[in-house]
Amino acid sequence: MADAPQTGKPKVAFYWCASCGGCEEAVVDLAEAILEVVGAVDIAFWPVALDFKRRDVEAMEDGSLAASFINGAVRTTEQAEMAQLLRQKSKLVIAFGACAHLGGIPGLANLWDRESIFRRVYLESPSTDNPDGVLPQVRYEDDGRPLTLPGFFDTVRTLDQVVPVDYYLPGCPPTPNIILQAVRALLRGELPARGSVLAPDQALCEECPRKDSKPERLGLVEFKRPHQVLVDEGTCLLAQGLLCLGPATRAGCGALCVKGNMPCSGCFGPTSRVRDYGGKALSALASIVASNAGEEIVRIFQQIPDPTGTLYRYSLPASLLRRRREVRAA
Amino acid sequence: MPEATHTTEGGARAAPEGFEPRIVAFFCNWCTYIAADLAGTSRMKYAPNVRVIRTMCSGRVDPQFVLEAFARGADGVLIGGCHPGDCHYQEGNYKTLRRYTLLRQVLATLGIEPQRFRLEWISASEAERVRAVVNEMVEQVRALGPLRLEVPQEVPVPRQREEVAA
């Protein structure tokens, strides 16, 4: 890169917000290709693997990082602070993985709020032993010494709801293939328009190995779950009654789940033409149900356990409504 | 989800003085919109709270339209289409029925009461039905009060760690 720092190699950072850690594993999943990456960049900050501190980042000049790869949704004040700090120090911020991109699984917590989550986790869950009913505090005095914890937001946010994001690497986690393509494009300076999702802008069905067996008209009268069927390995999963979200989901993963006989659950999110993944996925499902009778339609959709969690599994914070409605005293 | 329901399903919130529900109505070009037109030319009076959007078919109403209406301040969304069997495009209204069935389930889990989202079959001659449905829905939504969907827009900049906000 022309504007690389003194060492000649661009500096990059990795950071982990509200996520499971699978995105960090995905970096290691690059296998021998990781040597190519490590040879081409200086890793300036990667708390999960290397001993850098926050103050090291604070000491950097603004814009001195070529790119920060941030995974995870934003759930706490600490994550918001780190996202803002890395934004300030980076030329590019890349939302890495479904949680940073769309909110991901942690984003399903937007069906609740801080109070109900704390009550459940610290007071009500069967394995909790908390006789004094202590809840997390952002500040606590112990013998005059203040102790602090990050604050916990009511609402989980996507990374781009907190700081401007330049690119998105979708997936739970992003696959080695799309990570490598993105890193190579970054190193060559051949990135597409800002704001792009770095994966093909078409539906997963287009790259699905079972595509040819997808009937012209799918007509489902029953949704089945994977454990209820002996899956035929060559046939379209929707045609077998499995709720596959491939028609509503962006391609780029190589249909990994489908190749493993599991229906697509939508982790790559929508294509660029769709604003609300769940709404569009819902529309796709409504199209393939073969019934025009009210009661039968109700019965068929009842076979989908937890429709909201299924349709918005990775994208509730990025949806139009973003969370369950909060009712506050007027 | 018993934990989550307590916040919104009381329904007992008193509507503030002077609250006028805002209802976005998607009416199909061939039936319900004509009926609404007929209601107008027949000088029928009904609640002025609906903002009618004409679509060629109720099947044109993408679930995203409904979600966006709620996200941008609608207190209710009404979809009007042709009676079953009467769709100008043969099956568009059946598709609407399937979407509506699933979408109202999703909306309920997101804390939006079922009275705020309604689908009605109203043929071109049923002007009286437009009047009755609109009036009834406006009163139901009025009783529920404003939707007050607080879509969190800005992240509070946490300069101090103690600072916690929604």
Side-chain angles (χ1 to χ4, degrees):
Chain A
M1 284 182 104
D3 47 3
Q6 298 86 337
T7 61
K9 283 193 202 174
K11 288 192 164 84
V12 300
F14 294 97
Y15 195 69
W16 174 352
C17 293
S19 58
C20 66
C23 284
E24 307 279 353
E25 286 289 329
V27 178
V28 183
D29 246 4
L30 291 171
E32 65 274 13
I34 199 170
L35 299 174
E36 177 192 330
V37 175
V38 173
V41 300
D42 270 341
I43 297 175
F45 183 57
W46 191 11
V48 81
L50 303 165
D51 188 20
F52 291 107
K53 305 295 187 208
R54 176 187 165 126
R55 61 175 175 272
D56 299 321
V57 182
E58 285 168 340
M60 293 175 190
E61 273 181 46
D62 287 359
S64 61
L65 291 167
S68 283
F69 294 84
I70 303 179
N71 73 73
V74 177
R75 157 50 91 195
T76 67
T77 53
E78 181 187 34
Q79 290 156 358
E81 280 177 41
M82 285 307 294
Q84 285 164 344
L85 179 62
L86 287 167
R87 174 70 269 184
Q88 189 186 336
K89 303 296 179 187
S90 311
K91 289 195 185 67
L92 297 177
V93 165
I94 294 156
F96 189 98
C99 299
H101 177 204
L102 302 166
I105 301 280
L108 285 171
N110 282 359
L111 291 167
W112 290 270
D113 55 19
R114 174 174 53 226
E115 188 199 337
S116 57
I117 291 169
F118 278 10
R119 193 175 57 238
R120 175 69 191 163
V121 173
Y122 294 100
L123 304 176
E124 294 174 351
S125 87
S127 58
T128 298
D129 181 20
N130 182 9
D132 298 332
V134 178
L135 296 178
Q137 306 292 316
V138 289
R139 192 182 171 86
Y140 177 74
E141 295 271 340
D142 180 60
D143 270 344
R145 289 167 305 171
L147 302 169
T148 60
L149 274 179
F152 188 95
F153 295 126
D154 256 342
T155 300
V156 175
R157 288 179 172 82
T158 64
L159 186 61
D160 67 3
Q161 289 165 0
V162 178
V163 294
V165 166
D166 298 296
Y167 296 102
Y168 302 85
L169 271 169
C172 183
T175 52
N177 196 21
I178 69 159
I179 298 172
L180 262 187
Q181 279 176 9
V183 171
R184 285 177 184 149
L186 174 73
L187 291 171
R188 292 192 199 115
E190 291 171 1
L191 285 162
R194 276 185 193 236
S196 300
V197 175
L198 302 177
D201 198 10
Q202 57 181 11
L204 178 63
C205 296
E206 294 301 317
E207 67 177 28
C208 179
R210 303 176 193 233
K211 183 184 174 193
D212 292 342
S213 63
K214 187 177 177 184
E216 189 63 31
R217 270 187 87 102
L218 283 157
L220 293 191
V221 290
E222 195 179 2
F223 285 105
K224 297 176 197 146
R225 303 178 73 183
H227 66 272
Q228 295 169 315
V229 253
L230 203 55
V231 180
D232 180 88
E233 298 204 356
T235 309
C236 171
L237 294 171
L238 277 167
Q240 300 183 57
L242 291 165
L243 201 167
C244 181
L245 289 168
T249 304
R250 187 183 281 265
C253 61
L256 285 174
C257 296
V258 176
K259 283 176 184 162
N261 276 341
M262 286 301 281
C264 170
S265 58
C267 73
F268 267 51
T271 61
S272 64
R273 275 92 60 200
V274 174
R275 171 64 190 81
D276 186 293
Y277 176 87
K280 207 67 196 174
L282 184 152
S283 192
L285 292 184
S287 302
I288 61 175
V289 164
S291 172
N292 290 340
E295 281 178 21
E296 194 187 16
I297 294 170
V298 170
R299 186 188 61 75
I300 294 171
F301 282 134
Q302 272 171 353
Q303 295 161 347
I304 303 175
D306 186 13
T308 309
T310 303
L311 297 165
Y312 286 109
R313 182 169 299 173
Y314 302 96
S315 65
L316 188 56
S319 71
L320 282 160
L321 298 180
R322 295 181 52 170
R323 57 161 300 117
R324 183 184 168 86
R325 176 179 165 220
E326 293 190 285
V327 178
R328 300 216 165 89
Chain B
M1 290 176 283
E3 291 87 359
T5 49
H6 77 284
T7 50
T8 48
E9 289 188 353
R13 288 170 304 126
E17 284 300 312
F19 163 59
E20 285 297 333
R22 278 179 294 188
I23 293 177
V24 174
F26 296 100
F27 286 168
C28 96
N29 180 61
W30 304 99
C31 290
T32 313
Y33 190 84
I34 309 270
D37 212 18
L38 179 61
T41 51
S42 312
R43 297 180 170 245
M44 287 181 185
K45 282 191 178 167
Y46 59 90
N49 306 60
V50 285
R51 276 69 162 166
V52 178
I53 296 172
R54 176 163 59 164
T55 56
M56 287 307 284
C57 177
S58 61
R60 179 65 185 87
V61 183
D62 189 311
Q64 294 178 105
F65 296 0
V66 177
L67 295 164
E68 183 155 359
F70 282 122
R72 291 174 63 167
D75 298 302
V77 176
L78 170 64
I79 302 176
C82 305
H83 283 273
D86 286 353
C87 178
H88 189 78
Y89 308 100
Q90 314 232 348
E91 296 226 336
N93 52 357
Y94 290 122
K95 183 163 180 173
T96 307
L97 175 62
R98 295 193 291 265
R99 283 176 178 157
Y100 169 79
T101 306
L102 192 52
L103 184 54
R104 70 198 317 248
Q105 257 190 72
V106 170
L107 288 176
T109 59
L110 293 172
I112 296 178
E113 299 91 341
Q115 295 93 322
R116 294 188 190 270
F117 180 41
R118 184 160 173 173
L119 171 65
E120 285 290 336
W121 309 135
I122 302 173
S123 78
S125 61
E126 292 177 308
E128 172 55 33
R129 181 101 187 107
V130 171
R131 195 180 69 85
V133 165
V134 168
N135 282 345
E136 185 181 277
M137 184 164 178
V138 168
E139 283 323 302
Q140 286 174 344
V141 173
R142 193 192 302 280
L144 287 171
L147 183 62
R148 265 207 208 97
L149 202 64
E150 294 182 34
V151 176
Q153 292 299 344
E154 299 294 321
V155 69
V157 180
R159 285 290 160 238
Q160 308 235 306
R161 292 196 186 187
E162 293 93 299
E163 191 181 303
V164 184

